[in-house]
Amino acid sequence: MSRPDWPYYFMDIAERVALRSTCPRRSVGAVIVKQKRILATGYNGAPSGMDHCTDVGCLMVDDHCIRTLHAEQNAIIQAAQFGVGTLGAEIYSTSSPCASCAKMIINAGMTKVWYSEGYPDETAFRFLEEAGIEFEQIEVEQIEAPDGAEA
């Protein structure tokens, strides 16, 4: 068994977080990390206390489901709810951010965005670049479990 590098480790966790998604159109997970420590996680789903897409269907406007918050938004909100600062943190997301999430990442003071699959929003990349925030696409490697354990 090989020990994964930090980016792959955190992206693998983001993949697991995405399993909690409640919008069937897209499952996205995000993990905010600072100094190799997880600060907050988020997945795309309805606001707390509201019906989920998986229960009542998606609420579509201009080909987007507006019932859900994005994974990056939920992670940033979770950090804020618990008084966890994101200044200088990095975010790992299973999808590159949309323009709105990019703006939130910028204002949250994050320094890098790691993502595994692209989202068709070039404006987001332009915003990140203009703000001096690094972004890098990585693929999640299959991580092997120790002998005799299930993955």
Side-chain angles (χ1 to χ4, degrees), residues 28 30 32 40-45 65-81 91 93 97-102 104-105 110:
V28 179
I32 299 174
T41 64
Y43 52 87
N44 58 324
C65 178
I66 62 167
R67 183 180 308 281
T68 63
L69 289 161
H70 291 184
E72 301 93 333
Q73 294 168 336
N74 268 326
I76 292 167
I77 291 165
Q78 183 186 82
Q81 282 181 321
I91 190 164
S93 180
C98 68
S100 291
C101 288
M104 290 182 72
I105 290 165
M110 293 188 213

Side-chain angles (χ1 to χ4, degrees), residues 6-27:
W6 287 110
Y8 293 102
Y9 171 74
F10 291 122
M11 190 59 74
D12 188 60
I13 293 171
E15 292 282 342
R16 301 299 169 253
V17 172
L19 296 174
R20 295 278 307 151
S21 173
T22 61
C23 185
R25 297 188 77 240
R26 192 164 173 87
S27 294

Side-chain angles (χ1 to χ4, degrees), residues 70 72-73 76 86 91 96-110 113 121-131 133:
H70 291 184
E72 301 93 333
Q73 294 168 336
I76 292 167
T86 57
I91 190 164
S96 60
C98 68
S100 291
C101 288
K103 290 184 287 185
M104 290 182 72
I105 290 165
I106 292 164
N107 274 5
M110 293 188 213
V113 174
D121 192 340
E122 291 303 315
T123 304
F125 291 113
R126 191 174 77 230
F127 288 166
L128 293 171
E129 189 169 27
E130 186 177 327
I133 295 175

Side-chain angles (χ1 to χ4, degrees), residues 23-77:
C23 185
R25 297 188 77 240
R26 192 164 173 87
S27 294
V28 179
V31 178
I32 299 174
V33 174
K34 187 171 182 179
Q35 297 176 351
K36 299 183 181 128
R37 302 293 184 263
I38 295 172
L39 304 179
T41 64
Y43 52 87
N44 58 324
S48 297
M50 294 180 62
D51 292 328
H52 295 285
C53 297
T54 50
D55 298 326
V56 296
C58 294
L59 181 56
M60 301 299 294
V61 173
D62 295 329
D63 200 35
H64 286 86
C65 178
I66 62 167
R67 183 180 308 281
T68 63
L69 289 161
H70 291 184
E72 301 93 333
Q73 294 168 336
N74 268 326
I76 292 167
I77 291 165

